[in-house]
Amino acid sequence: MDETLEWIFSHLDPHQQALPASLSFYGSTADPKWLTWLSSTLKVTKLQLQTYSDHDRILDIISLLSQPLVSTPTQWPLPDLKSIETNVVSQYGKSKILEMVKARACFIQAQGKPEGGDIALQPFKEIRLRGGMRDVYGPYSRHVDLLNELQEAARGAEIWWDDFKWTGSENSARQ
């Protein structure tokens, strides 16, 4: 697989590499090293992570997105990422997602507006979580705290639970 990907990407011209791309990882086949390699090869703006258990490697990818790959100069994995969609909603998975969003938002706030205009990391525009609608609309939703914390940490990103946009309370979520 590695050789095939290397061959494909070696035949892309710079214009093709600069086009926005979507990337999807499904279950335990996801290898975090592909993420670091693709970070330097493609302009990934949308990432979809689908997990089948808490024991597959999707959580490793979320952890990798929580910190720079290189500190000087600062290089983050998928620096152009604006949209993420995942079904990782176990308690541990929720904490990893929130940790990643907070780490990236904290860096963005600290980087300010660079003089040359080059931004090391883009802010999220959209975060989509997948689960059951009952979880959002139930009177004792298990995910309300997470949705509120994500909304605060992501600073302006749209937060979605399935097909419902989170607007800050159980009663105000809308389709």
Side-chain angles (χ1 to χ4, degrees):
M1 179 70 151
D2 293 345
E3 291 172 4
T4 303
L5 286 174
E6 285 182 38
W7 183 87
I8 290 170
F9 290 116
S10 70
H11 288 81
L12 294 176
D13 65 43
H15 171 73
Q16 291 168 320
Q17 290 179 355
L19 293 173
S22 293
L23 180 62
S24 298
F25 285 106
Y26 296 95
S28 59
T29 60
D31 191 335
K33 75 176 181 178
W34 291 343
L35 185 72
T36 52
W37 185 71
L38 288 168
S39 289
S40 63
T41 310
L42 293 175
K43 182 181 177 178
V44 177
T45 59
K46 183 175 183 176
L47 178 64
Q48 182 181 22
L49 302 171
Q50 181 75 31
T51 185
Y52 302 108
S53 77
D54 279 344
H55 305 291
D56 63 28
R57 303 190 74 183
I58 295 296
L59 291 173
D60 295 339
I61 290 174
I62 293 172
S63 293
L64 187 62
L65 291 170
S66 298
Q67 58 194 352
L69 297 170
V70 179
S71 58
T72 308
T74 305
Q75 295 176 357
W76 283 77
L78 306 182
D80 299 302
L81 187 62
K82 294 179 182 179
S83 176
I84 187 167
E85 180 178 330
T86 184
N87 70 335
V88 179
V89 292
S90 67
Q91 198 58 40
Y92 181 67
K94 289 190 290 189
S95 70
K96 299 307 280 180
I97 291 168
L98 186 57
E99 176 184 301
M100 181 264 300
V101 171
K102 284 181 176 180
R104 291 173 78 97
C106 185
F107 178 81
I108 290 167
Q109 186 174 17
Q111 82 178 345
K113 278 262 195 215
E115 286 182 26
D118 291 335
I119 296 176
L121 190 62
Q122 293 291 326
F124 282 112
K125 300 283 186 214
E126 178 181 72
I127 299 170
R128 287 186 173 266
L129 302 176
R130 297 284 174 203
M133 287 188 302
R134 289 186 304 274
D135 292 332
V136 171
Y137 287 113
Y140 303 105
S141 172
R142 296 176 298 158
H143 305 292
V144 169
D145 290 341
L146 171 68
L147 296 169
N148 285 330
E149 288 183 73
L150 279 173
Q151 190 173 44
E152 182 180 332
R155 299 186 179 114
E158 290 185 354
I159 310 298
W160 292 81
W161 182 269
D162 284 326
D163 294 327
F164 294 90
K165 182 177 177 182
W166 185 250
T167 58
S169 73
E170 289 179 73
N171 297 331
S172 63
R174 62 179 191 257
Q175 203 167 12

